[in-house]
Amino acid sequence: MTLSTRNVMVGLAAGLAVLALWASGMGTVIHVPGDYPTIQQGIDAAAGGDTVLVGDGVYTGPENKNLDFGGKALRVTSELGPAATAIDCENDGRGFYFHTGEDSLSVVEGFTIRNGYVGTLGGGIYCLGASPSIVRTVIIGCQSDAGGAIACESASPLIEGSTMSENDGGLNGGGALFCWQGSFPIVSNSILWGNMPDEIAVVNGNPAVRYSDVAGGRAGVGNIACDPLFVNVLAGDYSLSYDSPCLDSGDPLAGVPDGGGDRLDMGAFEHLIPYNDLALSFTNTPDSVAQGSRVSWDVSFTNPLSIPVTVDVWFDVSSQIRCAIIMEYRDVTVPPQTTHNRTLSLPVPNAAPLGQYTIHGRVGVMDMIDGGVYDAENFIVEILEGHALSYVESSSGLGYPQLEAGRTELEMGDVDGDGHPDIVSIGDHGSPYINTNEHGIMVWFGDGTGTWSVYQNGNFGYGGVALGDVNNDGLMDVGYAMHHNYSGNDFGDQLIEVALGDGTGQNWQPWDDGLATNGETWGMFGTDFADVDNDGDLDLVSNSFGAGSGVHVYLNQGDGTWVQSFGFLEGNSTDDIVFGDVNGDCNADFAAAHEYGTVYLGDGAGNYVLADGNLPPPGWVGRFGPDLGDVNNDGGDDLSY
């Protein structure tokens, strides 16, 4: 028997009518765990027409699985949806068992059912002679001998706006749905993807599938067979990516989308974020600024939704002769129906090339491959010639190095977020074990008037240092390589390390697994940050001091781990190494003070080749103090040493 189009539409209309009925507020609302500690106790206490409203959390144990409506016309729904509310069967039992003649007025809505396991039918839900409504439900990681997610025996449930993935239907199949004994379920606006050994298995019956994404394809109006592009299956996030083919692909007659768009999305999660409609705006933008000053402007963007939204925020500056230089890239969470306002300020170097620059802003989802979806804004500012420079010493509070003639690297940056530059180094030689009080990460906090106060943390040194935001949280972090790793704990026990800052400049959290694991045994020194592989994260390069430990480039994996992409041991060297863009291809190159060569060109993926060209030989310890900068304004950095 094949359902007619009319029968399907009647079934969908009935399902929508069910939701409208419950939304009208009929019956009593029973709260779990407020009124009853378990879901089954809430169901047992309810009468026909009641709603069992389940709070967020993960529900386990005997009375939170194998849930039985007992033939009642109830709505059992989560308060915050399937992303926040899970029934974990712990590989023993299923989520729901309908077997007492339940019809479409018995509704399950808004749960994630996971880790179900039975040796018979229906690892997630089993409908035996019952036809409930299963709405906005995610079923993942469930197993049975037939119907890993849902099994129907003489049953015709309505399955609306649901997601079934990573389920196993065993020998009889139907990883998502199994039908026999005259079962005619209606599946609409749903995703059946990545189940084993197949998505749907039918012994006797005929499921009507419409406006759904089914792996391998399925006949039916509006169906597709495309990777749904879940956000992160490994992390259990089955919501849809911004470029999912399931967006706006649901039944055009099935209701108004919650988050914009013309149609409902397929699956249990309605994609709520209108990334290209965040109303990014720049105001108070200057037409021109002078060398040695600052360019400042106001930024705002708005979250129009009734839920918080987390977006990528990207600002960069470029000119006709220079590739875009990223000023900021981080996540920002905006509260519901709120406008985010801030003022950005960018220092203009005294030697900045004159001319017009474009400052770009993007807010949304950035994608290094296809660009992403975002709202964008920009303005043009002209850099004018600055005034003649003069200097006044402002060293109050700074001290003299106690050992090694001050052989350490200094960086300046606003470590504590007070708007004033601070000075950062790692201690002169570095430890109380060497009879000096200068050790660890040393920060001289500036007050904006030329007065400094020092704070230090850790027992290690001496060496090189770099400042940057390695985890894109908007706070200044530090990378450093050291001559002596004296510390007996994770903070200072590696020759190369990265530590996350908390915005105070006083507390540092190691974030350095995988660094200095490629033969570095002694005396690492010069350190710098750049985005070597163009993935939006800062990577690290370090050069040894003396002999034997070489040059190493480590790629930031974004989770506190690092992987070497280029490096070598041996050879004599002095201290310094610096990133730049020598050939103007927008990939990070570097110059190192090393016997084997000075300039190395990057390919944007972490690989490097020596490119000393017609430079004279570097000498037995390399060129002292190399640095890179665009001397002749041709778009490529030049070398000084």
Side-chain angles (χ1 to χ4, degrees), residues 162-352:
S162 293
T163 298
M164 290 158 274
S165 186
E166 309 296 325
N167 302 290
D168 189 344
L171 293 176
N172 294 295
L177 180 63
F178 179 81
C179 301
W180 79 311
Q181 299 286 40
S183 294
F184 300 91
I186 298 170
V187 181
S188 183
N189 298 323
S190 294
I191 298 173
L192 292 71
W193 195 271
N195 300 285
M196 296 175 58
D198 48 16
E199 301 300 326
I200 300 174
V202 179
V203 175
N204 185 283
N206 187 19
V209 182
R210 307 173 73 255
Y211 292 101
S212 293
D213 188 7
V214 184
R218 183 78 184 182
V221 60
N223 291 335
I224 62 175
C226 304
D227 186 338
L229 299 179
F230 297 126
V231 168
N232 191 340
V233 171
L234 294 178
D237 187 350
Y238 288 83
S239 60
L240 301 176
S241 300
Y242 70 89
D243 51 353
S244 169
C246 298
L247 298 180
D248 295 331
S249 296
D251 186 347
L253 302 178
V256 179
D258 294 330
D262 298 324
R263 294 157 58 174
L264 290 173
D265 301 333
M266 295 175 178
F269 298 99
E270 182 70 15
H271 196 76
L272 295 175
I273 304 174
Y275 288 116
N276 57 353
D277 191 25
L278 295 170
L280 175 63
S281 175
F282 289 169
T283 55
N284 298 320
T285 57
D287 295 324
S288 62
V289 293
Q291 294 169 316
S293 64
R294 303 184 72 88
V295 54
S296 302
W297 71 102
D298 294 329
V299 177
S300 68
F301 50 91
T302 301
N303 171 17
L305 303 179
S306 58
I307 61 171
V309 168
T310 299
V311 294
D312 297 329
V313 178
W314 176 301
F315 297 103
D316 63 53
V317 58
S318 64
S319 70
Q320 292 182 346
I321 62 171
R322 295 292 294 182
C323 302
I325 300 173
I326 300 172
M327 297 183 295
E328 180 176 300
Y329 180 40
R330 62 171 174 153
D331 291 340
V332 173
T333 299
V334 187
Q337 298 177 343
T338 299
T339 297
H340 178 86
N341 297 290
R342 62 186 304 200
T343 298
L344 286 181
S345 183
L346 175 69
V348 180
N350 292 313

Side-chain angles (χ1 to χ4, degrees), residues 419-490:
H420 305 308
D422 309 306
I423 301 173
V424 181
S425 75
I426 65 171
D428 176 34
H429 210 87
S431 168
Y433 301 118
I434 307 298
N435 194 28
T436 171
N437 294 322
E438 297 173 344
H439 52 86
I441 297 176
M442 303 186 68
V443 180
W444 286 268
F445 294 105
D447 67 355
T449 68
T451 300
W452 311 86
S453 58
V454 68
Y455 187 93
Q456 58 195 73
N457 191 344
N459 290 325
F460 51 85
Y462 59 100
V465 67
L467 293 176
D469 183 6
V470 297
N471 62 341
N472 295 315
D473 65 351
L475 303 176
M476 194 72 77
D477 309 313
V478 61
Y480 46 96
M482 66 189 76
H483 195 72
H484 296 299
N485 51 328
Y486 292 115
S487 174
N489 55 52
D490 192 28

Side-chain angles (χ1 to χ4, degrees), residues 528-542:
D528 204 4
F529 283 138
D531 186 3
V532 168
D533 54 356
N534 297 314
D535 66 349
D537 296 323
L538 290 178
D539 308 304
L540 178 145
V541 67
S542 184

Side-chain angles (χ1 to χ4, degrees), residues 20-277:
L21 172 65
W22 294 121
S24 67
M26 297 177 63
T28 299
V29 177
I30 295 173
H31 295 270
V32 174
D35 298 324
Y36 294 91
T38 69
I39 301 174
Q40 187 62 61
Q41 287 176 328
I43 292 172
D44 292 343
D50 288 349
T51 295
V52 178
L53 186 61
V54 181
D56 63 298
V58 178
Y59 290 81
T60 60
E63 293 198 330
N64 289 311
K65 61 184 176 183
N66 302 314
L67 298 169
D68 189 344
F69 275 45
K72 299 176 186 177
L74 306 174
R75 179 180 179 228
V76 178
T77 183
S78 69
E79 187 173 2
L80 297 178
T85 316
I87 296 171
D88 192 332
C89 302
E90 301 176 293
N91 296 308
D92 181 19
R94 59 173 67 90
F96 289 87
Y97 180 29
F98 294 98
H99 61 106
T100 321
E102 291 89 354
D103 60 17
S104 61
L105 294 179
S106 298
V107 181
V108 171
E109 181 181 3
F111 293 93
T112 291
I113 301 171
R114 67 193 190 199
N115 300 325
Y117 178 82
V118 296
T120 54
L121 280 73
I125 297 176
Y126 181 25
C127 301
L128 172 60
S131 301
S133 297
I134 301 165
V135 181
R136 213 162 49 92
T137 293
V138 177
I139 306 177
I140 54 174
C142 294
Q143 302 178 58
S144 70
D145 283 346
I150 300 174
C152 301
E153 180 178 353
S154 302
S156 301
L158 169 67
I159 303 167
E160 168 70 22
S162 293
T163 298
M164 290 158 274
S165 186
E166 309 296 325
N167 302 290
D168 189 344
L171 293 176
N172 294 295
L177 180 63
F178 179 81
C179 301
W180 79 311
Q181 299 286 40
S183 294
F184 300 91
I186 298 170
V187 181
S188 183
N189 298 323
S190 294
I191 298 173
L192 292 71
W193 195 271
N195 300 285
M196 296 175 58
D198 48 16
E199 301 300 326
I200 300 174
V202 179
V203 175
N204 185 283
N206 187 19
V209 182
R210 307 173 73 255
Y211 292 101
S212 293
D213 188 7
V214 184
R218 183 78 184 182
V221 60
N223 291 335
I224 62 175
C226 304
D227 186 338
L229 299 179
F230 297 126
V231 168
N232 191 340
V233 171
L234 294 178
D237 187 350
Y238 288 83
S239 60
L240 301 176
S241 300
Y242 70 89
D243 51 353
S244 169
C246 298
L247 298 180
D248 295 331
S249 296
D251 186 347
L253 302 178
V256 179
D258 294 330
D262 298 324
R263 294 157 58 174
L264 290 173
D265 301 333
M266 295 175 178
F269 298 99
E270 182 70 15
H271 196 76
L272 295 175
I273 304 174
Y275 288 116
N276 57 353
D277 191 25

